[in-house]
Amino acid sequence: MVDVSAKAPTRRHAEVQSVIHLSPEAFKAIRQQALVKGDPLTVAKIAGMQAAKRTDELIPLAHPLPIEHLEITFEPDATTHTIRLVAQATTTAKTGIELEAFVAAAIGALALYDMVKAVDPAATITDLQLLRKTGGKQGFQRVP
């Protein structure tokens, strides 16, 4: 692990996205909550949150961080039959929280895939990327 003992804690925030591409049928089933397994967005949100809290167990050399706030939102697009999942995480710590946001966005998307795979086994997950981070020595903002 990187030695962060000399660093002062700062407020840090990260925002990460993933996008799931669906068939029209799967997109409609999600929107109408017509999947056999239940409400897919709620399951994906909970899965992402649970996973983020275990980031240090999943990623070697990651520091355990106190997650002060974690929010997962979904942006469905009926034109492209996609759902954009955005995970935002906040902490006050000596190191960044972007890994926790990445894990939340990735596992949330995987849980969503699991919920729809019976209807759409060809669903794909793309665009897992850091959108923004603040705090620490340097920030980051992805230019659209």
Side-chain angles (χ1 to χ4, degrees), residues 1-3 10 12 19 27 32 43-44 48-49 51-52 62-63 69 72 74 76 80 86 88 99 108 124 127 130 137:
M1 294 173 71
V2 173
D3 183 0
T10 60
R12 296 160 184 270
V19 178
F27 186 83
Q32 295 178 348
V43 170
M49 289 180 170
H63 291 272
H69 181 73
I72 298 174
F74 301 94
T80 60
V86 178
Q88 296 185 59
L99 283 179
T124 58
D127 300 308
L130 179 66
K137 286 185 181 179

Side-chain angles (χ1 to χ4, degrees), residues 17-102:
Q17 76 166 16
S18 59
V19 178
I20 186 162
H21 300 260
L22 303 158
S23 67
E25 298 78 24
F27 186 83
K28 182 179 177 183
I30 289 171
R31 294 295 297 248
Q32 295 178 348
Q33 293 191 14
L35 295 171
V36 175
K37 287 187 171 186
D39 177 3
L41 300 183
T42 299
V43 170
K45 182 179 281 194
I46 292 169
M49 289 180 170
Q50 283 181 323
K53 293 191 296 185
R54 301 187 83 158
T55 298
D56 64 307
E57 296 173 31
L58 300 168
I59 307 295
L61 308 179
H63 291 272
L65 293 178
I67 300 173
E68 295 172 355
H69 181 73
L70 180 63
E71 183 176 350
I72 298 174
T73 57
F74 301 94
E75 299 171 8
D77 185 331
T79 305
T80 60
H81 303 110
T82 59
I83 298 177
R84 181 175 177 251
L85 184 153
V86 178
Q88 296 185 59
T90 305
T91 191
T92 303
K94 295 180 177 190
T95 189
I97 193 157
E98 54 268 37
L99 283 179
E100 286 73 8
F102 265 108

